[in-house]
Amino acid sequence: MGEKAKNEKDDKEAQFEDHEHVEVSEELPPELEALMQTEPLKGLSEAEVAERTARFGKNEISEKKTNPLLKFLSYFTGAIAYLIELAFILSGVVEDWIDFGIIGGLLVINALIGFIEESKADAALDALKNTLALKSRVFRDGRLQEIESSELVPGDIVAVRLGDIIPADARLLGISVDGSDVEVNLQVDQSALTGESLPVEKKRGDTIYSSSICKQGQMLAVVTKTGANTFIGRAANLISITNEQGHFQKIVNQIGNFLVVITLTMVVIIFIYLLLRRKNEVDHLSKTDVFDVLRDVLVLTVAAIPVGLPTVMSVTMAVGAKQLAAKQVIVKRLTAVEEMASVS
């Protein structure tokens, strides 16, 4: 009896619920809808293409490039970095050149590791983008021709077939390149956009999205949106304007802020105490006396600061990034290594 109940329980746990894909239609503004009335087998003229390119821009997502010098200097920011820089300056003031060199070296090494690793990732991403510089088959001036995908404009008639990466958001017309009705609907893999593990069926009137992949069939489609106005373009824009810190960065910053408060409080208290005690010992405080007190304070500052922490973290994450790179994974930010490790 007990075994039967256990089997029934296992059967319940093994049941899967089928989910049907729900196609969401996106209403276009009337002025944009008017541009969709292109003759399928004729396409746009060169004059229309020029006018729409001037109006909508190229079919590409603009990317802001950071000045390399500013990017390198950004590795010297942060609560812990500021504390280390404070110790670096104090070492120079009291002419403790050994600590000055060691602390300065650690600061530069930490910045170089992060800068070099992320520069490699940027270079890899640029190379990947170049390999994905697609061409599209488009009807223009009554001819089916191949053009750069970046030259597409709303209203262009594109031919989509098996294996194509969709170059822009487009509405399926339900006809093939010879004008006849298609017998088989498209199967499109849009997992990169929606997370759906299986290709979804797209029929006449449905929207196919930029960067998704055609897995079956062939059909003409009219381009509805290009560049930053596409589904993937809007998502990329949201990511670019997001400044949300990762969990790892938040934890490190909390540690850094705590150390800043504690260290500065202790340094100020001990500095004042040592100055007052030295003043009681001598009638007049000389420059040498102040430097002696600063040396004592420097020892406390260096002891309270985890000088090697940023370097150790950068080296550890760089090793992780190298191991991921061996598996064809591009790590754009070193802190992303720890973030991915937290994913269940």
Side-chain angles (χ1 to χ4, degrees), residues 200-224:
V200 296
E201 185 176 2
K202 298 281 186 174
K203 58 184 184 299
R204 177 175 183 169
D206 288 345
T207 299
I208 50 176
Y209 297 103
S210 175
S211 81
S212 54
I213 304 171
C214 179
K215 292 293 188 179
Q216 177 183 300
Q218 60 89 24
M219 197 182 297
L220 293 184
V222 58
V223 174
T224 56

Side-chain angles (χ1 to χ4, degrees), residues 131-142:
T131 63
L132 294 177
L134 303 173
K135 292 184 178 292
S136 301
R137 296 192 307 152
V138 184
F139 273 103
R140 283 187 180 172
D141 292 324

Side-chain angles (χ1 to χ4, degrees), residues 119-135:
S119 294
K120 286 180 182 177
D122 288 339
L125 283 174
D126 290 338
L128 185 61
K129 288 175 184 176
N130 291 334
T131 63
L132 294 177
L134 303 173
K135 292 184 178 292

Side-chain angles (χ1 to χ4, degrees), residues 4 7 60 102 114 146 189 236 245 251 279 298 307 332:
K4 183 179 180 182
N7 291 335
E60 55 190 14
I102 293 173
E146 192 172 66
D189 178 4
Q245 289 183 327
I251 295 298
K279 188 175 181 181
L298 175 63
V307 179
K332 190 171 183 181

Side-chain angles (χ1 to χ4, degrees), residues 244-285:
E244 179 69 21
Q245 289 183 327
H247 174 71
F248 181 73
Q249 289 174 306
K250 288 179 180 178
I251 295 298
V252 172
N253 286 339
Q254 286 176 2
I255 296 172
N257 292 334
F258 174 75
L259 290 174
V260 167
V261 173
I262 295 297
T263 303
L264 290 180
T265 302
M266 291 176 61
V267 164
V268 170
I269 292 173
I270 293 175
F271 181 71
I272 294 173
Y273 169 75
L274 291 177
L275 277 181
L276 292 176
R277 192 179 74 171
R278 184 63 63 89
K279 188 175 181 181
N280 290 333
E281 294 174 355
V282 296
D283 295 333
H284 177 70
L285 283 174

Side-chain angles (χ1 to χ4, degrees), residues 133-237:
L134 303 173
K135 292 184 178 292
S136 301
R137 296 192 307 152
V138 184
F139 273 103
R140 283 187 180 172
D141 292 324
R143 294 184 299 109
L144 183 62
Q145 50 189 287
E146 192 172 66
I147 65 169
E148 295 287 342
S149 295
S150 60
E151 298 175 7
L152 289 174
V153 295
D156 260 327
I157 304 297
V158 295
V160 179
R161 58 184 174 179
L162 174 66
D164 284 353
I165 297 177
I166 311 302
D169 289 2
R171 182 188 298 161
L172 293 174
L173 298 176
I175 58 176
S176 61
V177 292
D178 59 2
S180 61
D181 291 337
V182 295
E183 298 179 357
V184 180
N185 293 329
L186 291 188
Q187 293 287 332
V188 178
D189 178 4
Q190 53 186 31
S191 57
L193 304 175
T194 63
E196 295 169 293
S197 58
L198 297 174
V200 296
E201 185 176 2
K202 298 281 186 174
K203 58 184 184 299
R204 177 175 183 169
D206 288 345
T207 299
I208 50 176
Y209 297 103
S210 175
S211 81
S212 54
I213 304 171
C214 179
K215 292 293 188 179
Q216 177 183 300
Q218 60 89 24
M219 197 182 297
L220 293 184
V222 58
V223 174
T224 56
K225 293 182 180 179
T226 58
N229 295 318
T230 61
F231 184 92
I232 190 70
R234 296 197 299 274
N237 182 58

